[in-house]
Amino acid sequence: MDRSSLLQLIQEQQLDPENTGFIGADTFTGLVHSHELPLDPAKLDMLVALAQSNERGQVCYQELVDLISSKRSSSFKRAIANGQRALPRDGLLDEPGLGVYKRFVRYVAYEILPRDVDRHWYFYRHRSCPPPVFMASVTLAQIIVFLCYGARLNKWVLQTYHPEYMKSPLVYHPGHRARAWRFLTYMFMHVGLEQLGFNALLQLMIGVPLEMVHGLLRISLLYLAGVLAGSLTVSITDMRAPVVGGSGGVYALCSAHLANVVMNWAGMRCPYKLLRMVLALVCMSSEVGRAVWLRFSPPLPASGPQPSFMAHLAGAVVGVSMGLTILRSYEERLRDQCGWWVVLLAYGTFLLFAIFWNVFAYDLLGAHIPPPP
């Protein structure tokens, strides 16, 4: 149903003869059934929720148009905040005759979203196009780059100990700070098969569902913000160390998702959530511990400092701050939220500080960095 036909039908039926801008929810629901309008069940349920948030049991015409147009608006937030919801609990679990893909969509809804109204809305309005291409493309590119360098160096673990590894134009090295692209492209390089496998698994298991729910732009922004914050943090706190791996982006995604689960613990319906939370924290902590060990106690002779672990921690901070703001804003405009602008201001301030640090601090402090390869 498009907006023009909806407006015409409302005018013909004189549902708002006094032009107040409000329509009775019961009246509109009866109109939908009598004219057999193709309105999604989730949107019809949302109309009831919106009407219940209004003391007169009416829904604003503009809110109705927002629902029909699937716009991110404050009206969706008000409907979610309303305690009296007409949506049946566990309705999605009882949906019969679903295909494989639709079952996966239902699984994603219960894994990512904390409220029944969110899950119904996502399940009924989800479309397979565009697919979640960002996380899949990044993971595929990382695997291809790793295979190319593994074949070239004839080394599949602890690749950073090979003298030719650091000569890659993708690796961030403090001696090549002027080559700004390295602050991002290091995410395509990995220490070895173990780090690549860990990152790729989390990107596909967590990143793809997040991208399906929140969209390519939001998740790519979060991932790349974590990657950039990782390399810049290393350039400030561990000035002699290089950086490789996509852990900054991976930890941004994982930390945002875990923080969102904790803050909405009662509403999350994913099975064994406590056990999975503990396992995720153990795996993430183990990876950080492994990175610390490789940085300060290298198992093999090395020609220079090994990659820093600070990118992991910086990605986690980005996830808890920026990422949590994004994940809590399902179907809402980020630009309408004060918290989003506060997070952007903080991140922008960090970027400016990091840029000035990289331009001036190394010379002023007389930092002894290893010669670039």
Side-chain angles (χ1 to χ4, degrees):
M1 184 198 314
D2 55 34
R3 295 173 57 176
S4 59
S5 60
L6 175 63
L7 176 60
Q8 182 180 359
L9 184 59
I10 291 176
Q11 292 175 344
E12 291 175 354
Q13 298 294 322
Q14 296 184 347
L15 300 182
D16 186 20
E18 300 180 359
N19 295 322
T20 63
F22 288 87
I23 306 168
D26 294 337
T27 304
F28 183 79
T29 303
L31 179 68
V32 170
H33 291 307
S34 62
H35 287 261
E36 297 182 353
L37 298 177
L39 187 64
D40 287 344
K43 294 183 178 181
L44 193 57
D45 289 334
M46 285 298 304
L47 279 176
V48 177
L50 283 170
Q52 290 175 345
S53 64
N54 183 283
E55 59 182 11
R56 294 179 296 175
Q58 294 178 325
V59 61
C60 175
Y61 172 72
Q62 185 57 49
E63 292 176 343
L64 174 62
V65 172
D66 288 347
L67 285 175
I68 301 302
S69 306
S70 298
K71 291 176 60 178
R72 301 178 187 268
S73 65
S74 58
S75 51
F76 191 86
K77 180 178 181 180
R78 287 197 297 273
I80 291 175
N82 178 18
Q84 298 177 346
R85 294 195 256 280
L87 296 176
R89 296 187 65 83
D90 295 332
L92 295 184
L93 291 177
D94 301 329
E95 287 280 350
L98 296 178
V100 175
Y101 182 74
K102 204 62 178 177
R103 287 177 180 271
F104 180 64
V105 172
R106 180 177 60 184
Y107 163 80
V108 169
Y110 277 96
E111 285 290 315
I112 302 300
L113 296 171
R115 304 177 182 91
D116 284 335
V117 67
D118 292 357
R119 290 189 279 262
H120 280 74
W121 178 261
Y122 169 73
F123 180 79
Y124 284 110
R125 71 179 289 270
H126 175 78
R127 300 292 181 268
S128 58
C129 187
V133 295
F134 175 76
M135 293 311 310
S137 300
V138 168
T139 304
L140 180 61
Q142 290 172 339
I143 293 174
I144 292 175
V145 170
F146 177 78
L147 292 176
C148 291
Y149 275 89
R152 175 183 173 185
L153 304 177
N154 193 26
K155 192 175 182 64
W156 303 97
V157 295
L158 300 178
Q159 289 185 345
T160 52
Y161 292 89
H162 196 287
E164 297 295 319
Y165 181 86
M166 288 298 173
K167 294 182 179 181
S168 169
L170 303 178
V171 173
Y172 166 80
H173 189 281
H176 290 309
R177 298 188 315 282
R179 302 175 183 179
W181 70 84
R182 291 175 179 254
F183 285 92
L184 283 174
T185 57
Y186 78 90
M187 70 180 187
F188 296 109
M189 303 290 291
H190 287 82
V191 173
L193 185 61
E194 65 287 351
Q195 186 190 27
L196 173 65
F198 179 81
N199 287 347
L201 183 64
L202 290 180
Q203 286 173 179
L204 296 178
M205 291 184 61
I206 296 180
V208 169
L210 286 176
E211 186 179 347
M212 289 177 62
V213 172
H214 295 282
L216 182 148
L217 290 179
R218 292 187 176 197
I219 298 306
S220 61
L221 172 63
L222 175 58
Y223 185 87
L224 294 177
V227 170
L228 182 58
S231 56
L232 290 175
T233 300
V234 171
S235 70
I236 296 172
T237 60
D238 199 357
M239 299 169 65
R240 302 183 69 250
V243 190
V244 296
S247 297
V250 170
Y251 275 63
L253 296 178
C254 294
S255 299
H257 179 55
L258 293 179
N260 191 45
V261 170
V262 171
M263 294 190 67
N264 299 279
W265 188 262
M268 298 301 294
R269 305 300 300 278
C270 49
Y272 309 109
K273 56 185 176 183
L274 179 59
L275 176 61
R276 294 165 64 180
M277 172 74 71
V278 172
L279 288 176
L281 292 176
V282 169
C283 291
M284 294 173 65
S285 301
S286 300
E287 173 62 18
V288 174
R290 173 185 167 278
V292 173
W293 170 62
L294 291 177
R295 173 67 179 92
F296 295 111
S297 299
L300 297 175
S303 57
Q306 289 301 293
S308 176
F309 60 91
M310 291 301 299
H312 299 69
L313 305 182
V317 172
V318 170
V320 173
S321 55
M322 179 185 293
L324 187 57
T325 304
I326 291 176
L327 299 195
R328 294 180 64 188
S329 305
Y330 174 67
E331 280 305 318
E332 297 176 48
R333 296 186 184 96
L334 289 174
R335 65 174 180 268
D336 293 339
Q337 302 181 59
C338 179
W340 172 245
W341 294 107
V342 172
V343 170
L344 280 187
L345 177 61
Y347 191 82
T349 302
F350 165 73
L351 290 183
L352 290 176
F353 173 79
I355 291 173
F356 277 96
W357 181 276
N358 278 273
V359 172
F360 301 109
Y362 278 72
D363 292 333
L364 292 176
L365 297 177
H368 298 287
I369 60 176

